[in-house]
């Protein structure tokens, strides 16, 4: 069963930075597309950013210009560099294959941004 494991979360002040990593028990860099999502308390899960295996990335409006998704060959991970964090970025962040539905979701990693 394919599994994703997210890491790198934590508590950070407004304006700070964090780098998340997504690892898998499969060949994560072989998947055509990968994405980061987030879910804040009381809200639906939403797309943060996605990347193709050619390295083409696109972002949600709230993440564009502040977050960068990347494919890390040496680590075999999909990373999310988050800069200029804001309190409304507080959420649990997950990685998954776009269109996977309810399959493969990991536990996520908690990001808390204090004001």
């Amino acid at each position: 069963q394919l599994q994703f494991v997210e890491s790198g979360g934590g508590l950070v002040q407004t304006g700070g930075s964090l780098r998340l990593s997504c690892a898998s028990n499969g060949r994560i860099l072989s998947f055509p597309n990968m994405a980061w999502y987030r879910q804040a308390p009381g809200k639906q899960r939403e797309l943060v950013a996605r990347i193709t295996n050619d390295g083409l990335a696109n972002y949600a409006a709230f993440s564009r210009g502040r977050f960068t998704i990347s494919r890390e060959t040496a680590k075999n991970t999909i990373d999310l560099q988050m800069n200029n964090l804001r309190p409304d970025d507080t959420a649990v962040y997950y990685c998954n294959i776009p269109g996977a539905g309810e399959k493969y979701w990991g536990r996520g990693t908690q990001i808390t941004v204090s004001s």
Side-chain angles (χ1 to χ4, degrees):
Q1 175 73 9
L2 181 63
Q3 291 182 327
F4 294 110
V5 178
E6 301 89 353
S7 63
L11 174 64
V12 64
Q13 292 184 332
T14 296
S17 298
L18 283 173
R19 188 176 185 91
L20 308 183
S21 288
C22 170
S24 167
N25 60 349
R27 294 176 58 195
I28 195 170
L29 296 182
S30 70
F31 301 143
N33 295 282
M34 282 295 300
W36 279 96
Y37 300 83
R38 73 183 187 184
Q39 187 166 20
K43 296 187 177 181
Q44 289 190 330
R45 189 163 54 214
E46 61 182 349
L47 178 70
V48 176
R50 60 191 296 168
I51 189 166
T52 70
N53 59 1
D54 293 329
L56 297 176
N58 56 65
Y59 298 89
F62 65 79
S63 62
R64 192 175 300 119
R66 298 188 300 128
F67 296 0
T68 302
I69 189 171
S70 62
R71 297 163 52 83
E72 300 296 325
T73 303
K75 296 193 302 178
N76 195 33
T77 60
I78 303 294
D79 285 8
L80 185 69
Q81 176 67 41
M82 305 187 297
N83 299 326
N84 194 21
L85 285 161
R86 310 182 303 222
D88 60 1
D89 293 317
T90 295
V92 180
Y93 285 69
Y94 304 87
C95 60
N96 205 345
I97 299 169
E102 294 306 312
K103 295 186 292 185
Y104 314 138
W105 294 101
R107 294 184 177 183
T109 187
Q110 174 72 49
I111 307 298
T112 302
V113 185
S114 62
S115 57

